[in-house]
Amino acid sequence: MREAIRLSVENVKNGGGPFGAVIAKDGEIIARGANRVVPNNDPTAHAEVTAIRNACEKLGTFDLKGYEIYSSCEPCPMCLSAIYWARLDRLVYANTADDADRIGFSDAFIYKELNLAVEKRSLPTTTMLRAEALKAFRDWEEKTDKVEY
């Protein structure tokens, strides 16, 4: 956890947001990540997502079962989803979502939106060409050599 916190402090000095994360196994850090949203012009470059990407690249896998993530702050909805998708065994964080909210990083709006029916969300959303798109799903369903995730 101290390394995730150190990364968050260092990242503020280097033009990034105040967030850091590490992925570890048996006390050994496998990968690190820091929030690089603004410097990289990438809204997905959060510390946890970056750490997951780095760990997966280093280990050559998309499945991080057996590993833990330590984050300097309670993850946002995107990062929390990525943590679940990566199948990490455990999440440990320092600062809370309320702490982040107090300095202008609020996830409350997104959590509220996710609980609404699609047609009631503030982001106008429609489906288009579903019948055509279903071909890829049928192809996937019939594929015999697929790697399921």
Side-chain angles (χ1 to χ4, degrees):
M1 181 56 78
R2 285 192 176 93
E3 178 62 4
I5 294 169
R6 186 194 70 74
L7 287 168
S8 70
V9 172
E10 180 181 300
N11 200 50
V12 171
K13 296 174 188 172
N14 293 323
F19 306 99
V22 299
I23 300 203
K25 183 174 187 173
D26 300 326
E28 178 187 344
I29 294 174
I30 305 300
R32 293 168 172 80
N35 179 291
R36 303 304 291 167
V37 170
V38 173
N40 294 3
N41 293 313
D42 179 354
T44 68
H46 290 202
E48 298 89 345
V49 170
T50 301
I52 289 168
R53 288 175 180 160
N54 291 340
C56 289
E57 184 176 347
K58 179 178 181 177
L59 298 169
T61 183
F62 58 83
D63 187 339
L64 297 177
K65 190 172 290 191
Y67 294 84
E68 302 174 327
I69 187 164
Y70 295 83
S71 178
S72 67
C73 187
E74 185 174 353
C76 75
M78 176 184 69
C79 292
L80 185 59
S81 295
I83 289 165
Y84 277 104
W85 277 110
R87 298 184 180 98
L88 286 150
D89 283 4
R90 184 173 174 224
L91 161 64
V92 182
Y93 60 85
N95 292 321
T96 67
D98 288 338
D99 296 330
D101 185 59
R102 278 192 283 282
I103 63 164
F105 293 93
S106 180
D107 301 324
F109 170 75
I110 296 171
Y111 279 113
K112 181 180 175 190
E113 287 281 301
L114 290 174
N115 286 319
L116 296 174
V118 172
E119 64 275 2
K120 292 187 178 184
R121 293 180 185 163
S122 65
L123 177 66
T125 305
T126 58
T127 59
M128 177 185 240
L129 302 176
R130 180 172 174 253
E132 290 180 35
L134 284 171
K135 181 183 181 339
F137 281 17
R138 285 190 300 274
D139 291 350
W140 175 259
E141 210 171 25
E142 295 168 7
K143 188 174 174 66
T144 58
D145 62 343
K146 63 187 166 199
V147 176
E148 299 210 25
Y149 56 96

